[in-house]
Amino acid sequence: MRPHVELIQEDDYVWHGAELPGGEGRASERRLSVDEEDGSSSLRVDFHTDWGRGPGIHHANTEYYVLEGEIDYGGRKIGKGGYVYAPKGVPADYLKVAEGTKMLHYREYGDAGYDAVESVAAAKRWSDAREEVIVIDSDAMKWDAVPNPGPMPGLYIKYLHVDPVTGFYTRLVHAEQGWSDHRLAHHPCYEEAYTTQGHMEYNFGTLDLGTYFFRPARVKHGHFTTMEGGATWLLRSDGELKNWYTQREWVRWGGDGVNYTAEGLNEEPHEPQRWSSSTHDLATPWRSEEDMRQMNAAWQFQIDQGQNNAPVKHQGQGADPSIIAIMKAMDAANLQGGHGDGHSHDHDHDHSHDHDHDHSHDHGHSHEHAPELDWGWSGKDVEHRDERTGEHAHNWGTRVDWKDGDPIPAPIISSLPVRSRSRGRWDGDGM
């Protein structure tokens, strides 16, 4: 399982000698993300000299995508946008790469191993091998409109490879300038992308040339606004990309500091001091008027199509949604005076309650009989059927074998993901 990487700029990665066994020439790689369990990896590779190796068999499902320069696969030369998919265990022809070429290189379900063969025709496939080698000039392909582009049109796609068994697919995606999606989504599969062109803003930062993320299954993300010139990515997922949307989201967490206070470390005996934080507290509004115009337009487009929706709300503005959620739960438990009917009273009354006195109420009396608060779906209601019993129960970020009719698992909260030192930004918006 690969860790969550979001959002990072490739310039923040160090260079390593490229792991391309059996080849002649010199190249370096940046390791965008790596699965240390099975060897899967996503790499940016630069070739300092002409490079090449003869025909052979890859130990992993292997992909090459040319960002700049030229490759020659078995006599077919392709420049920028060239794409080669070589399945695990399937004999592949020779590959030559011109000096100065820059490419994305992916290995899935295996390591960098490569077994040389005399010729493709004479080599035997592995017994469990399937699919065939794919060679594509993606620059010559036409953009197709995405069938379900979100709340508004303006999203386009070029399919490079789709696994007919697992649904794993690699594609180029382009969002037109002004395309926006105000919703947050999570998916049953992982999603990774490298930005090849343009500029988009979203809750984890700025997607521009050379930015990258790897997002495990179920990690929530979103609030996209596409800026001048649009944006393009090479995007991969290890299964069919189902979109499960959330809006008006909130997170609050806290605890008791026992050896520190707001003023710093305090090892002297003192009462534990309560602290709490929320995504609302952390989110200093950074969206421009144009961002908000786009998000509101996306919301209005969906309303005009007769879809259910909730108004666009940006974290850090107005009442803290975590407080509203707590108040609603208390209403449902009849803790708000006058609500004796037990209904949830789903309205946005602003319980700001700016009282200066401490409501901690930690006076030593038991809270064993505290009422059950109604938060909506919770606990097992939001679990996938295999969440605690399946092969990957130890890792919620693994692809979910989900089909229509199954319960939809709740998103994984990623409160402070890895971020780029030089260009990334995380401000809590939409978590």
Side-chain angles (χ1 to χ4, degrees), residues 8-11 13-20 27-34 41-48 63-69 100-107 192-196 209-212 234:
I8 200 156
Q9 222 291 334
E10 67 166 351
D11 291 345
Y13 283 100
V14 299
W15 287 104
H16 303 265
E19 189 177 9
L20 296 166
S28 299
E29 68 184 23
R30 283 171 165 157
R31 297 168 187 169
L32 304 177
S33 68
V34 176
S41 56
S42 300
L43 312 166
R44 255 279 290 114
V45 184
D46 279 13
F47 292 84
H48 311 302
E63 297 171 273
Y64 306 90
Y65 179 80
V66 180
L67 296 168
E68 296 179 21
T101 295
K102 299 179 180 181
M103 70 166 56
L104 297 172
H105 178 39
Y106 302 97
R107 297 191 295 264
E192 73 168 336
Y194 178 95
T195 307
T196 63
L209 181 63
T211 50
Y212 170 83
L234 190 142

Side-chain angles (χ1 to χ4, degrees), residues 63-308:
E63 297 171 273
Y64 306 90
Y65 179 80
V66 180
L67 296 168
E68 296 179 21
E70 183 181 78
I71 62 173
D72 176 350
Y73 175 82
R76 181 175 177 183
K77 294 183 178 181
I78 318 174
K80 179 178 178 294
Y83 173 80
V84 176
Y85 171 69
K88 180 178 183 177
V90 174
D93 216 329
Y94 73 79
L95 180 67
K96 295 180 180 179
V97 182
E99 178 182 351
T101 295
K102 299 179 180 181
M103 70 166 56
L104 297 172
H105 178 39
Y106 302 97
R107 297 191 295 264
E108 204 70 38
Y109 311 129
D111 59 23
Y114 187 80
D115 299 334
V117 299
E118 288 296 324
S119 69
V120 173
K124 291 185 178 180
R125 296 165 63 103
W126 291 2
S127 60
D128 59 347
R130 54 187 181 81
E131 299 190 278
E132 301 296 335
V133 174
I134 297 171
V135 184
I136 293 174
D137 178 1
S138 69
D139 273 11
M141 297 172 67
K142 293 183 179 179
W143 288 102
D144 294 321
V146 173
N148 299 300
M152 61 191 306
L155 204 60
Y156 300 90
I157 195 166
K158 294 180 181 181
Y159 288 100
L160 303 181
H161 166 249
V162 181
D163 188 312
V165 175
T166 65
F168 193 116
Y169 69 119
T170 302
R171 66 275 197 203
L172 291 165
V173 177
H174 176 74
E176 284 185 340
Q177 177 177 330
W179 182 86
S180 182
D181 194 339
H182 59 289
R183 303 167 298 182
L184 271 77
H186 64 294
H187 313 295
C189 55
Y190 83 52
E191 186 178 30
E192 73 168 336
Y194 178 95
T195 307
T196 63
Q197 173 271 327
H199 179 191
M200 174 180 275
E201 298 286 352
Y202 78 128
N203 64 308
F204 283 126
T206 299
L207 287 167
D208 55 11
L209 181 63
T211 50
Y212 170 83
F213 65 78
F214 180 91
R215 188 183 302 125
R218 298 175 53 184
V219 175
K220 187 155 63 74
H221 56 284
H223 287 180
F224 299 103
T225 55
T226 312
M227 314 309 284
E228 184 176 356
T232 309
W233 314 271
L234 190 142
L235 204 152
R236 303 170 75 242
S237 297
D238 64 340
E240 184 179 0
L241 194 73
K242 294 281 187 177
N243 292 310
W244 299 325
Y245 294 113
T246 300
Q247 286 183 231
R248 298 162 62 86
E249 55 285 335
W250 57 272
V251 173
R252 177 165 290 278
W253 67 102
D256 290 340
V258 296
N259 71 332
Y260 63 94
T261 71
E263 287 71 42
L265 187 68
N266 183 359
E267 298 287 8
E268 298 297 323
H270 68 278
E271 289 292 321
Q273 294 200 13
R274 174 72 50 84
W275 65 267
S276 74
S277 190
S278 77
T279 53
H280 188 84
D281 299 333
L282 295 173
T284 300
W286 54 266
R287 290 198 180 278
S288 67
E289 290 184 4
E290 176 61 16
D291 289 334
M292 294 306 297
R293 186 198 66 77
Q294 287 190 31
M295 288 202 292
N296 278 295
W299 173 82
Q300 187 62 54
F301 182 89
Q302 195 173 32
I303 293 298
D304 292 344
Q305 304 306 305
Q307 299 295 315
N308 293 326

